[in-house]
Amino acid sequence: MESKEMVLVIDFGGQYNQLVARRVRECNVYCEITSYRTPIEKIKAMSPKGIILTGGPSSCYEEGAATCSPELFELGIPVLGLCYGAQLMMHMLGGKVERASVREYGKTEVSVRTDSPLFTGITGDDDHDPTAELSHEATTICWMSHFDYISKIAPGFEVVAHTSGCPVAAAQDKSRGLYAIQFHPEVLHTVEGTRILNNFVKNICNCEGTWRMDSFVTNAVEEIKGKVGDGRVLLALSGGVDSSVAAALLSKAIGEQLTCVFVDHGLMRKDEGDEVEEVFGERGDFELNFVRVNAAERYYEKLRGVTEPEQKRKIIGEEFIRIFEEESHKIGAVDFLAQGTIYPDVVESGLGGESAVIKSHHNVGGLPEHVDFKDIIEPLRNLFKDEVRKVGLELGLPAKLVFRQPFPGPGLGVRIVGEVTADKVRIVQDADAIYREEIAKAAGEGEAPNWMPDQYFAAITNMRSVGVMGDERTYDYAIALRAVKTVDFMTAEAAPIPWEVLQKVMSRIIGEVRGVNRVLYDLSSKPASTIEFE
Ligand code: XMP
């Protein structure tokens, strides 16, 4: 499955590190992230064709700052330092980095030398910069975000870009294959960012760019076949994007040697259980054994009277493991347990890059202890979410499933504040279906409007209040509409959905969903609120 040519991103803890790796992969070059703590011997053993040092949160000259082995610059492998990475390169090789009097932040006009292999092909708008003295100079907009600046380049380097406030926006030592860029080419605000990264990986590292999703599928299928042989594989299918794509890929590789257990806990979105069955069940297009367990009643029973959010989550997770174990006992011993782990899960759990955030709440109940298997198989372990989606489409999964919004493992359990009951599940499912339908309608086809949320859903509050319907007094629930704009789901802002769209959603929910007499729009940011309600 691994493509032979690989670029290594060394993670110093900055916020854009995963983005750098994704952008490199968009150049069809396979890319992995590793922590700056990775020993140099291990880096050499990975034999990357290029190395990228990323941003970091501190100053490189401070004591205890993240650093790397000086040998990294002597391997004969091209190195590109970005932001902190650029400063660190200069600092370690004899240049000088200092605190600037003002922070340079935001879209900035940068003059670049187009005879640098990094900036080949940038034409910019020369009329823009009347001070351009060099014939090979162009101006282009880049994204800057730095307090420190490179005040002196290291011996052997030459300056190949600058801004009005930053004397060294980029520097190079072509003979050693070392390049440093102060701005962020990985961020979309940098107009020529993709070209710059493409120049680095193709022209400087000499990568061919053969990493593609169709070749991923072909190679992954071969690899799975080789690993599994005539063994049996068990997969817990949640109906989410990752486990669905894993199921489709495994099905293509090993057909009926795969059994998927789909536990419908009764906390899915409206009709979602049936949609999963349509795709993977007997009438679907995939060759596999599909087991659907309708466990809604069992869950509602377990959750009766439970109001504490962590306890609810725990019950939902544990019950899932229990049901999965029961089913697996019916199936008997299997050789492999498959999981839909994807690359950000690997990085975020501290295994790939530097990020120490362990999203333990995402592994709903952990691994089942009482399932008899020899090994774990994770066919999507090296892919980013957008790549997983491409693989899903490539394998023929419906777009509706492939482009599903993130949905928490405990499902509607965390969108029903307080006790979970079948009636509250019905209310939140119906309200949410209306909300999603109206947002999709308002967003239309083609390019998404600016207000388009990255995640949105209805939740049912635990508040009942007085209303009036016809001549009758009502005492019903309030539905909260949540919609957020976010990049990483760690911080988020409420999305500015147009008023008339919200009004339409409100009037349909109150008119069509029995048991609701109030609709609220949640304005809170994360932090201090979370995206989900529990
Ligand atoms: P919060 O509520 O923590 O949500 O701000 C951040 C993102 O994570 C999703 N989320 C979960 N996903 N299992 C999951 O797989 C969970 O237990 C879980 N809790 C929250 C949430 O939907 C949002 O995208």
Side-chain angles (χ1 to χ4, degrees), residues 48 87 102 144 218 238 260 281 294 306 365 415 451 463 485 488:
Q87 295 169 359
V102 281
M144 283 286 192
T218 316
S238 70
C260 291
N294 289 316
V306 183
R415 296 178 183 174
W451 54 263
M463 180 189 86
K485 291 287 251 184
D488 52 11

Side-chain angles (χ1 to χ4, degrees), residues 237-448:
L237 179 66
S238 70
V241 181
D242 305 341
S243 67
S244 297
V245 175
L249 187 58
L250 285 159
S251 155
K252 188 173 165 94
I254 53 165
E256 287 187 1
Q257 287 163 257
L258 170 69
T259 300
C260 291
V261 173
F262 167 52
V263 179
D264 185 346
H265 48 26
L267 299 167
M268 313 270 293
R269 284 168 285 205
K270 191 173 181 175
D271 299 330
E272 207 165 79
D274 294 340
E275 285 166 17
V276 173
E277 183 164 355
E278 241 166 67
V279 174
F280 293 105
E282 261 177 35
R283 300 213 316 273
D285 295 332
F286 293 95
E287 193 192 338
L288 51 86
N289 296 301
F290 178 78
V291 180
R292 175 175 180 173
V293 187
N294 289 316
E297 293 310 321
R298 191 168 157 172
Y299 272 88
Y300 300 160
E301 186 56 39
K302 282 272 169 192
L303 289 166
R304 181 179 301 168
V306 183
T307 54
E308 208 282 309
E310 280 306 309
Q311 207 189 341
K312 281 165 68 180
R313 275 178 179 270
K314 206 160 164 246
I315 290 173
I316 296 169
E318 282 176 1
E319 202 54 18
F320 170 80
I321 296 279
R322 203 151 299 141
I323 294 173
F324 188 65
E325 285 176 349
E326 283 170 21
E327 289 307 313
S328 77
H329 287 157
K330 291 184 200 160
I331 295 161
V334 293
D335 302 279
F336 298 92
L337 187 67
Q339 292 200 308
T341 318
I342 69 171
Y343 199 49
D345 302 334
V346 176
V347 176
E348 277 156 20
S349 61
L351 293 174
E354 186 46 30
S355 165
V357 195
I358 300 178
K359 288 195 185 168
S360 54
H361 69 300
H362 284 196
N363 308 324
V364 181
L367 272 180
E369 281 171 29
H370 304 288
V371 174
D372 199 1
F373 65 93
K374 286 188 239 151
D375 203 355
I376 289 196
I377 188 162
E378 296 176 314
L380 310 176
R381 204 185 151 78
N382 293 326
L383 301 189
F384 285 109
K385 194 81 174 187
D386 51 338
E387 295 173 324
V388 172
R389 294 201 160 104
K390 281 187 200 151
V391 170
L393 292 177
E394 178 92 18
L395 290 165
L397 285 173
K400 189 172 168 190
L401 197 162
V402 168
F403 291 102
R404 231 169 224 169
Q405 299 189 51
F407 189 62
L412 299 179
V414 293
R415 296 178 183 174
I416 295 172
V417 182
E419 186 184 9
V420 172
T421 64
D423 200 41
K424 281 177 163 175
V425 170
R426 170 195 59 83
I427 292 175
V428 79
Q429 278 181 339
D430 287 349
D432 183 66
I434 291 171
Y435 188 26
R436 283 187 288 132
E437 193 182 314
E438 290 301 327
I439 292 284
K441 225 190 283 173
E445 311 230 318
E447 201 179 327

